[in-house]
Amino acid sequence: MPANRTVSDRTVDTVHNLPALVFGVLLIVVIICGNLLVCLSVYTEKALKTTTNYFIVSLAVADLMLAVLVLPLFVYSEFQDGVWLLNMTVCDSLMTMDVMLCTASIFNLCAISIDRFIAVLVPLNYNRKHVDQRQVVLLSATWILALAVASPVMFGINNVPNRDPSECKLENDDYVLYSSVCSFFIPCPIMLLLYCGMFRGLRRWEEARKAKLRNSIQACRKFQEAAASLPPLASLPPPLPPVIERELADNTGEELDPYPPPDCPYPSSEYKGGAVPTVSFAEIKFTSEPHKKKRAKINGRERKAMKVLPVVVGVFLFCWTPFFVVHTLRARCASCYIPPSLMSVVTWLGYVNSALNPVIYTVFNTEFRNFFKKFLRSCCT
């Protein structure tokens, strides 16, 4: 394209990409509706007011801002077949918001992995019901660091000599490498390592919980057998603390011993008279102590949330890894030819991720799914 061609000349020659416009508008609508429902569900439903979901709301806010501030201009550019027809100030603003919000998304996922790691490895110091100071610091750091990564564009790093006004992109190749490393290539390995450590800790916790339950059932069964062998009693001693396990339904895979429910009942028959011999229960070990219930537990809802988050991370990596690889390759390899269509496809794939997170929540999380169903049913009626 000649350098002296005016904007009006380019407008005449531009081929309009109608499929990109239709798909872009639908994508914007889906992102806004889905992520608004996520925010609304956590705001209105008491069952969803957990610290994990507050981080998910922060991620949804980043996706919402992306749909409102970045996607309309990107869709407009794609509709013009990749030709940028607006001024460079708008382009720099678009690049700043694009880098910041994409970075905020992955930093939010990284903050979630840190929060989950602490919840599993240091459960006594973890507040599950309310956002404490540590979580406020994590949430604030995600946005401050994201803004810091994007700030060089605000301060004019994109203003390079002989800049092509018909193309809106990051012009400084060193900054492309810097932003890609800070936004993706460093946080992702850290996030994956934290999740590996978290699930190893969660597996150990589950094994310890099952072993404790099994010991309690065996102890209760021994007590039942010992109590059944007693001669008639004139009166019964005060009952021992019952062994109660409320999370049997959450056990998966390993079968427990097929003993009766561990309620440890005494014989229900009424006895009159008779000597009461001394019985030793030295072999019986009760592990439940009512005065030691301050040990933190991971409840069923949190374990379900932990199973959803790896899916969110996996989808994010699937959507954004091609973009960052191609983006970095284009900046560092001057002799490599990357077709504009390939760059467009990987960019679209990255933006699609913002629409997938609410779908993942509804498929894998019962509380989110129930709220979405209730909300949609109320809207239809």
Side-chain angles (χ1 to χ4, degrees), residues 185-206:
F185 292 111
I186 289 179
C188 280
I190 295 175
M191 184 167 49
L192 294 175
L193 287 174
L194 288 172
Y195 271 113
C196 289
M198 180 190 73
F199 280 100
R200 286 179 61 186
L202 186 61
R203 185 163 54 249
R204 288 195 298 268
W205 185 88
E206 287 284 356

Side-chain angles (χ1 to χ4, degrees), residues 19-32 75 355:
L21 177 64
V22 174
F23 180 76
V25 171
L26 289 176
L27 183 63
I28 292 172
V29 172
V30 171
I31 292 174
I32 292 176
V75 172

Side-chain angles (χ1 to χ4, degrees), residues 166-188:
S166 67
E167 188 175 9
C168 183
K169 64 176 184 176
L170 294 175
E171 301 288 346
N172 189 296
D173 291 341
D174 293 332
Y175 175 74
V176 170
L177 180 62
Y178 159 77
S179 62
S180 299
V181 169
C182 292
S183 302
F184 187 81
F185 292 111
I186 289 179
C188 280

Side-chain angles (χ1 to χ4, degrees), residues 348-367:
W348 277 112
L349 182 61
Y351 290 146
V352 165
N353 176 253
S354 298
L356 292 179
N357 287 338
V359 177
I360 295 171
Y361 305 146
T362 57
V363 171
F364 292 94
N365 189 294
T366 305
E367 282 83 9

Side-chain angles (χ1 to χ4, degrees), residues 91-92 95 158 163 167-172 327 330:
C91 173
D92 291 344
M95 291 294 100
N158 233 23
R163 184 178 183 181
E167 188 175 9
C168 183
K169 64 176 184 176
L170 294 175
E171 301 288 346
N172 189 296
H327 194 53
R330 186 177 70 168

Side-chain angles (χ1 to χ4, degrees), residues 31-46:
I31 292 174
I32 292 176
C33 293
N35 287 284
L36 273 179
L37 281 176
V38 170
C39 298
L40 186 63
S41 62
V42 176
Y43 179 76
T44 58
E45 292 292 314
K46 184 177 180 181

